[in-house]
Amino acid sequence: MSKTFFPMILTVFASVIVYYLLATEAGLSENLSMTGGVAVGVLGAVAARKIIKGK
């Protein structure tokens, strides 16, 4: 298994969960919720890249 598989799965799950919570619980529009989910995905990918690169 690739060493980037686990961080990728965490990033995808985090972005989907944030999208879902913003769309349902916070009551934001789908566009704003998607923007929030994508932002979390990008930040998660950058963080995972720095952690993996540092090892």
Short mmCIF file of all heavy atoms in Angstrom, two decimals:
data_model
loop_
_atom_site.label_atom_id
_atom_site.label_comp_id
_atom_site.label_asym_id
_atom_site.label_seq_id
_atom_site.Cartn_x
_atom_site.Cartn_y
_atom_site.Cartn_z
N MET A 1 0.85 -1.17 0.00
CA MET A 1 0.00 0.00 0.00
C MET A 1 0.90 1.24 0.00
O MET A 1 1.92 1.29 0.67
CB MET A 1 -0.91 -0.01 1.22
CG MET A 1 -1.94 1.08 1.17
SD MET A 1 -3.10 1.12 2.55
CE MET A 1 -3.78 -0.50 2.54
N SER A 2 0.47 2.24 -0.72
CA SER A 2 1.23 3.48 -0.82
C SER A 2 1.23 4.22 0.51
O SER A 2 0.26 4.15 1.27
CB SER A 2 0.60 4.35 -1.91
OG SER A 2 1.22 5.60 -1.94
N LYS A 3 2.31 4.94 0.77
CA LYS A 3 2.38 5.69 2.03
C LYS A 3 1.51 6.94 2.01
O LYS A 3 1.31 7.56 3.03
CB LYS A 3 3.83 6.05 2.36
CG LYS A 3 4.46 7.04 1.42
CD LYS A 3 5.88 7.35 1.85
CE LYS A 3 6.49 8.39 0.93
NZ LYS A 3 7.81 8.77 1.38
N THR A 4 0.98 7.30 0.84
CA THR A 4 0.09 8.46 0.76
C THR A 4 -1.39 8.07 0.80
O THR A 4 -2.24 8.94 0.78
CB THR A 4 0.36 9.25 -0.53
OG1 THR A 4 0.14 8.40 -1.65
CG2 THR A 4 1.78 9.79 -0.56
N PHE A 5 -1.67 6.78 0.86
CA PHE A 5 -3.07 6.33 0.84
C PHE A 5 -3.84 6.79 2.08
O PHE A 5 -4.94 7.33 1.96
CB PHE A 5 -3.13 4.80 0.72
CG PHE A 5 -4.52 4.26 0.67
CD1 PHE A 5 -5.29 4.41 -0.47
CD2 PHE A 5 -5.08 3.62 1.77
CE1 PHE A 5 -6.59 3.92 -0.51
CE2 PHE A 5 -6.36 3.13 1.74
CZ PHE A 5 -7.12 3.28 0.59
N PHE A 6 -3.29 6.58 3.25
CA PHE A 6 -3.99 6.93 4.49
C PHE A 6 -4.24 8.44 4.60
O PHE A 6 -5.36 8.85 4.90
CB PHE A 6 -3.21 6.41 5.70
CG PHE A 6 -3.93 6.60 7.01
CD1 PHE A 6 -5.12 5.95 7.26
CD2 PHE A 6 -3.41 7.42 7.97
CE1 PHE A 6 -5.80 6.13 8.45
CE2 PHE A 6 -4.07 7.61 9.17
CZ PHE A 6 -5.26 6.97 9.41
N PRO A 7 -3.24 9.30 4.34
CA PRO A 7 -3.53 10.73 4.37
C PRO A 7 -4.56 11.16 3.32
O PRO A 7 -5.36 12.06 3.58
CB PRO A 7 -2.17 11.39 4.09
CG PRO A 7 -1.18 10.39 4.49
CD PRO A 7 -1.80 9.05 4.22
N MET A 8 -4.55 10.52 2.17
CA MET A 8 -5.53 10.86 1.14
C MET A 8 -6.94 10.53 1.61
O MET A 8 -7.87 11.33 1.44
CB MET A 8 -5.22 10.11 -0.15
CG MET A 8 -6.20 10.38 -1.26
SD MET A 8 -5.94 9.38 -2.72
CE MET A 8 -6.26 7.74 -2.10
N ILE A 9 -7.11 9.36 2.21
CA ILE A 9 -8.43 8.96 2.71
C ILE A 9 -8.90 9.90 3.82
O ILE A 9 -10.06 10.30 3.86
CB ILE A 9 -8.39 7.49 3.20
CG1 ILE A 9 -8.18 6.55 2.03
CG2 ILE A 9 -9.65 7.13 3.96
CD1 ILE A 9 -9.27 6.60 0.99
N LEU A 10 -8.00 10.29 4.71
CA LEU A 10 -8.36 11.23 5.77
C LEU A 10 -8.79 12.58 5.20
O LEU A 10 -9.75 13.19 5.66
CB LEU A 10 -7.18 11.43 6.73
CG LEU A 10 -6.90 10.28 7.69
CD1 LEU A 10 -5.68 10.60 8.53
CD2 LEU A 10 -8.09 10.02 8.57
N THR A 11 -8.08 13.04 4.18
CA THR A 11 -8.41 14.31 3.54
C THR A 11 -9.79 14.26 2.90
O THR A 11 -10.60 15.18 3.04
CB THR A 11 -7.35 14.66 2.49
OG1 THR A 11 -6.08 14.74 3.13
CG2 THR A 11 -7.65 15.98 1.83
N VAL A 12 -10.08 13.17 2.20
CA VAL A 12 -11.38 13.03 1.54
C VAL A 12 -12.51 12.96 2.57
O VAL A 12 -13.52 13.66 2.43
CB VAL A 12 -11.39 11.78 0.62
CG1 VAL A 12 -12.79 11.48 0.13
CG2 VAL A 12 -10.45 11.99 -0.54
N PHE A 13 -12.32 12.15 3.60
CA PHE A 13 -13.36 12.04 4.62
C PHE A 13 -13.59 13.37 5.33
O PHE A 13 -14.72 13.76 5.59
CB PHE A 13 -13.03 10.95 5.63
CG PHE A 13 -13.38 9.57 5.17
CD1 PHE A 13 -12.48 8.54 5.30
CD2 PHE A 13 -14.60 9.30 4.59
CE1 PHE A 13 -12.79 7.26 4.87
CE2 PHE A 13 -14.93 8.03 4.16
CZ PHE A 13 -14.02 7.01 4.30
N ALA A 14 -12.51 14.09 5.64
CA ALA A 14 -12.65 15.38 6.33
C ALA A 14 -13.41 16.37 5.47
O ALA A 14 -14.30 17.07 5.96
CB ALA A 14 -11.27 15.92 6.69
N SER A 15 -13.10 16.42 4.18
CA SER A 15 -13.79 17.38 3.32
C SER A 15 -15.26 17.03 3.14
O SER A 15 -16.12 17.91 3.14
CB SER A 15 -13.08 17.48 1.96
OG SER A 15 -13.15 16.27 1.26
N VAL A 16 -15.57 15.75 3.03
CA VAL A 16 -16.97 15.34 2.88
C VAL A 16 -17.75 15.60 4.16
O VAL A 16 -18.89 16.08 4.12
CB VAL A 16 -17.06 13.85 2.47
CG1 VAL A 16 -18.48 13.34 2.55
CG2 VAL A 16 -16.50 13.66 1.07
N ILE A 17 -17.14 15.33 5.30
CA ILE A 17 -17.82 15.57 6.58
C ILE A 17 -18.07 17.06 6.78
O ILE A 17 -19.16 17.46 7.22
CB ILE A 17 -17.00 14.96 7.74
CG1 ILE A 17 -17.11 13.44 7.68
CG2 ILE A 17 -17.48 15.49 9.08
CD1 ILE A 17 -16.18 12.71 8.61
N VAL A 18 -17.09 17.89 6.46
CA VAL A 18 -17.28 19.34 6.60
C VAL A 18 -18.38 19.82 5.67
O VAL A 18 -19.23 20.62 6.06
CB VAL A 18 -15.95 20.09 6.35
CG1 VAL A 18 -16.19 21.57 6.16
CG2 VAL A 18 -15.00 19.85 7.49
N TYR A 19 -18.37 19.34 4.44
CA TYR A 19 -19.44 19.71 3.50
C TYR A 19 -20.80 19.32 4.05
O TYR A 19 -21.74 20.11 4.05
CB TYR A 19 -19.21 19.05 2.15
CG TYR A 19 -20.42 19.09 1.25
CD1 TYR A 19 -20.83 20.28 0.68
CD2 TYR A 19 -21.17 17.95 1.00
CE1 TYR A 19 -21.97 20.34 -0.13
CE2 TYR A 19 -22.30 17.99 0.21
CZ TYR A 19 -22.69 19.19 -0.36
OH TYR A 19 -23.80 19.24 -1.14
N TYR A 20 -20.93 18.11 4.53
CA TYR A 20 -22.20 17.62 5.06
C TYR A 20 -22.67 18.45 6.26
O TYR A 20 -23.82 18.85 6.34
CB TYR A 20 -22.07 16.15 5.45
CG TYR A 20 -23.30 15.62 6.15
CD1 TYR A 20 -24.45 15.32 5.44
CD2 TYR A 20 -23.32 15.43 7.53
CE1 TYR A 20 -25.58 14.86 6.07
CE2 TYR A 20 -24.43 14.96 8.17
CZ TYR A 20 -25.57 14.67 7.44
OH TYR A 20 -26.69 14.22 8.07
N LEU A 21 -21.76 18.71 7.18
CA LEU A 21 -22.13 19.47 8.37
C LEU A 21 -22.51 20.91 8.04
O LEU A 21 -23.46 21.45 8.61
CB LEU A 21 -20.99 19.44 9.39
CG LEU A 21 -20.75 18.10 10.07
CD1 LEU A 21 -19.53 18.17 10.97
CD2 LEU A 21 -21.97 17.68 10.86
N LEU A 22 -21.77 21.52 7.13
CA LEU A 22 -22.11 22.89 6.75
C LEU A 22 -23.44 22.96 6.01
O LEU A 22 -24.20 23.91 6.18
CB LEU A 22 -21.00 23.50 5.89
CG LEU A 22 -19.70 23.84 6.61
CD1 LEU A 22 -18.67 24.33 5.62
CD2 LEU A 22 -19.93 24.86 7.71
N ALA A 23 -23.72 21.95 5.21
CA ALA A 23 -24.97 21.96 4.43
C ALA A 23 -26.18 21.64 5.30
O ALA A 23 -27.25 22.21 5.10
CB ALA A 23 -24.88 20.97 3.28
N THR A 24 -26.02 20.73 6.26
CA THR A 24 -27.18 20.30 7.04
C THR A 24 -27.31 21.03 8.37
O THR A 24 -28.36 21.58 8.68
CB THR A 24 -27.14 18.79 7.29
OG1 THR A 24 -25.94 18.46 7.98
CG2 THR A 24 -27.22 18.03 5.99
N GLU A 25 -26.27 21.06 9.15
CA GLU A 25 -26.36 21.62 10.50
C GLU A 25 -26.26 23.14 10.50
O GLU A 25 -26.97 23.80 11.25
CB GLU A 25 -25.25 21.03 11.39
CG GLU A 25 -25.32 19.53 11.54
CD GLU A 25 -26.59 19.04 12.20
OE1 GLU A 25 -27.09 19.72 13.11
OE2 GLU A 25 -27.11 17.99 11.78
N ALA A 26 -25.37 23.70 9.70
CA ALA A 26 -25.18 25.15 9.69
C ALA A 26 -26.20 25.84 8.78
O ALA A 26 -26.40 27.04 8.89
CB ALA A 26 -23.77 25.51 9.25
N GLY A 27 -26.79 25.08 7.88
CA GLY A 27 -27.81 25.65 7.02
C GLY A 27 -27.27 26.53 5.91
O GLY A 27 -28.00 27.36 5.37
N LEU A 28 -26.01 26.39 5.56
CA LEU A 28 -25.45 27.17 4.47
C LEU A 28 -25.91 26.61 3.13
O LEU A 28 -26.35 25.47 3.03
CB LEU A 28 -23.92 27.15 4.52
CG LEU A 28 -23.26 27.84 5.72
CD1 LEU A 28 -21.76 27.66 5.66
CD2 LEU A 28 -23.61 29.31 5.76
N SER A 29 -25.78 27.41 2.10
CA SER A 29 -26.15 26.94 0.76
C SER A 29 -25.15 25.87 0.32
O SER A 29 -24.07 25.73 0.89
CB SER A 29 -26.14 28.10 -0.23
OG SER A 29 -24.81 28.55 -0.44
N GLU A 30 -25.53 25.13 -0.70
CA GLU A 30 -24.65 24.06 -1.19
C GLU A 30 -23.33 24.60 -1.71
O GLU A 30 -22.29 23.98 -1.55
CB GLU A 30 -25.36 23.25 -2.27
CG GLU A 30 -26.43 22.34 -1.72
CD GLU A 30 -26.92 21.37 -2.76
OE1 GLU A 30 -26.18 21.04 -3.68
OE2 GLU A 30 -28.07 20.94 -2.63
N ASN A 31 -23.38 25.78 -2.35
CA ASN A 31 -22.15 26.35 -2.88
C ASN A 31 -21.17 26.72 -1.77
O ASN A 31 -19.97 26.44 -1.86
CB ASN A 31 -22.45 27.59 -3.73
CG ASN A 31 -23.17 27.23 -5.01
OD1 ASN A 31 -23.06 26.12 -5.50
ND2 ASN A 31 -23.92 28.18 -5.54
N LEU A 32 -21.66 27.36 -0.73
CA LEU A 32 -20.79 27.71 0.39
C LEU A 32 -20.29 26.47 1.12
O LEU A 32 -19.14 26.42 1.56
CB LEU A 32 -21.51 28.65 1.35
CG LEU A 32 -21.74 30.08 0.86
CD1 LEU A 32 -22.58 30.85 1.87
CD2 LEU A 32 -20.42 30.77 0.62
N SER A 33 -21.14 25.49 1.26
CA SER A 33 -20.74 24.24 1.92
C SER A 33 -19.66 23.53 1.11
O SER A 33 -18.70 23.01 1.67
CB SER A 33 -21.94 23.33 2.10
OG SER A 33 -22.91 23.95 2.88
N MET A 34 -19.82 23.52 -0.21
CA MET A 34 -18.81 22.89 -1.07
C MET A 34 -17.50 23.64 -0.98
O MET A 34 -16.42 23.03 -0.94
CB MET A 34 -19.30 22.84 -2.51
CG MET A 34 -18.38 22.10 -3.45
SD MET A 34 -18.15 20.35 -3.03
CE MET A 34 -19.75 19.72 -3.45
N THR A 35 -17.56 24.97 -0.93
CA THR A 35 -16.34 25.77 -0.80
C THR A 35 -15.63 25.45 0.51
O THR A 35 -14.41 25.31 0.54
CB THR A 35 -16.69 27.27 -0.86
OG1 THR A 35 -17.36 27.53 -2.09
CG2 THR A 35 -15.46 28.12 -0.75
N GLY A 36 -16.39 25.32 1.59
CA GLY A 36 -15.79 24.96 2.87
C GLY A 36 -15.17 23.58 2.85
O GLY A 36 -14.08 23.37 3.37
N GLY A 37 -15.85 22.63 2.22
CA GLY A 37 -15.31 21.28 2.11
C GLY A 37 -14.04 21.23 1.29
O GLY A 37 -13.08 20.55 1.64
N VAL A 38 -14.01 21.97 0.20
CA VAL A 38 -12.81 22.01 -0.65
C VAL A 38 -11.66 22.68 0.10
O VAL A 38 -10.51 22.23 0.02
CB VAL A 38 -13.11 22.74 -1.98
CG1 VAL A 38 -11.84 23.05 -2.73
CG2 VAL A 38 -14.04 21.90 -2.83
N ALA A 39 -11.96 23.74 0.84
CA ALA A 39 -10.91 24.42 1.61
C ALA A 39 -10.30 23.48 2.65
O ALA A 39 -9.07 23.43 2.81
CB ALA A 39 -11.49 25.66 2.29
N VAL A 40 -11.14 22.71 3.33
CA VAL A 40 -10.62 21.74 4.30
C VAL A 40 -9.81 20.66 3.60
O VAL A 40 -8.76 20.23 4.10
CB VAL A 40 -11.78 21.13 5.11
CG1 VAL A 40 -11.34 19.91 5.89
CG2 VAL A 40 -12.36 22.17 6.04
N GLY A 41 -10.26 20.24 2.43
CA GLY A 41 -9.51 19.24 1.66
C GLY A 41 -8.14 19.74 1.26
O GLY A 41 -7.14 19.01 1.37
N VAL A 42 -8.06 20.97 0.80
CA VAL A 42 -6.77 21.54 0.39
C VAL A 42 -5.85 21.69 1.59
O VAL A 42 -4.66 21.34 1.53
CB VAL A 42 -6.99 22.89 -0.33
CG1 VAL A 42 -5.68 23.63 -0.52
CG2 VAL A 42 -7.67 22.67 -1.66
N LEU A 43 -6.37 22.23 2.68
CA LEU A 43 -5.54 22.38 3.88
C LEU A 43 -5.09 21.03 4.43
O LEU A 43 -3.95 20.88 4.89
CB LEU A 43 -6.31 23.16 4.95
CG LEU A 43 -6.58 24.62 4.63
CD1 LEU A 43 -7.46 25.24 5.71
CD2 LEU A 43 -5.29 25.39 4.48
N GLY A 44 -5.98 20.05 4.38
CA GLY A 44 -5.61 18.71 4.83
C GLY A 44 -4.53 18.09 3.95
O GLY A 44 -3.62 17.42 4.43
N ALA A 45 -4.62 18.32 2.64
CA ALA A 45 -3.62 17.78 1.73
C ALA A 45 -2.26 18.43 1.96
O ALA A 45 -1.22 17.76 1.94
CB ALA A 45 -4.06 17.98 0.29
N VAL A 46 -2.26 19.74 2.20
CA VAL A 46 -1.00 20.44 2.48
C VAL A 46 -0.39 19.95 3.78
O VAL A 46 0.82 19.69 3.86
CB VAL A 46 -1.24 21.97 2.51
CG1 VAL A 46 -0.02 22.70 3.06
CG2 VAL A 46 -1.59 22.48 1.13
N ALA A 47 -1.22 19.79 4.79
CA ALA A 47 -0.72 19.31 6.09
C ALA A 47 -0.18 17.89 5.97
O ALA A 47 0.89 17.57 6.50
CB ALA A 47 -1.83 19.37 7.13
N ALA A 48 -0.89 17.03 5.25
CA ALA A 48 -0.44 15.65 5.08
C ALA A 48 0.87 15.60 4.30
O ALA A 48 1.76 14.81 4.60
CB ALA A 48 -1.50 14.82 4.37
N ARG A 49 0.98 16.47 3.30
CA ARG A 49 2.21 16.51 2.50
C ARG A 49 3.41 16.92 3.35
O ARG A 49 4.49 16.35 3.25
CB ARG A 49 2.01 17.50 1.34
CG ARG A 49 3.20 17.69 0.49
CD ARG A 49 3.40 16.54 -0.42
NE ARG A 49 4.46 16.85 -1.35
CZ ARG A 49 4.93 16.01 -2.21
NH1 ARG A 49 4.40 14.81 -2.30
NH2 ARG A 49 5.90 16.33 -3.02
N LYS A 50 3.21 17.90 4.23
CA LYS A 50 4.31 18.35 5.09
C LYS A 50 4.69 17.27 6.10
O LYS A 50 5.85 17.10 6.41
CB LYS A 50 3.92 19.64 5.80
CG LYS A 50 3.90 20.83 4.87
CD LYS A 50 3.69 22.10 5.64
CE LYS A 50 3.65 23.26 4.69
NZ LYS A 50 4.89 23.97 4.61
N ILE A 51 3.69 16.56 6.60
CA ILE A 51 3.98 15.51 7.58
C ILE A 51 4.73 14.36 6.93
O ILE A 51 5.72 13.85 7.46
CB ILE A 51 2.67 15.00 8.23
CG1 ILE A 51 2.10 16.09 9.14
CG2 ILE A 51 2.89 13.72 9.00
CD1 ILE A 51 0.71 15.80 9.65
N ILE A 52 4.28 13.95 5.74
CA ILE A 52 4.93 12.83 5.04
C ILE A 52 6.32 13.23 4.56
O ILE A 52 7.28 12.46 4.66
CB ILE A 52 4.08 12.35 3.85
CG1 ILE A 52 2.85 11.65 4.39
CG2 ILE A 52 4.86 11.43 2.95
CD1 ILE A 52 1.86 11.25 3.31
N LYS A 53 6.46 14.46 4.06
CA LYS A 53 7.75 14.92 3.57
C LYS A 53 8.75 15.06 4.71
O LYS A 53 9.95 14.86 4.52
CB LYS A 53 7.57 16.26 2.86
CG LYS A 53 8.68 16.61 1.94
CD LYS A 53 8.33 17.84 1.14
CE LYS A 53 9.33 18.04 0.02
NZ LYS A 53 9.03 19.21 -0.79
N GLY A 54 8.27 15.38 5.92
CA GLY A 54 9.14 15.55 7.06
C GLY A 54 9.72 14.25 7.60
O GLY A 54 10.73 14.24 8.28
N LYS A 55 9.07 13.12 7.29
CA LYS A 55 9.54 11.83 7.82
C LYS A 55 10.69 11.29 7.04
O LYS A 55 10.96 11.51 5.95
CB LYS A 55 8.40 10.82 7.81
CG LYS A 55 7.39 11.11 8.87
CD LYS A 55 6.33 10.03 8.91
CE LYS A 55 5.37 10.30 10.03
NZ LYS A 55 4.35 9.30 10.14
#
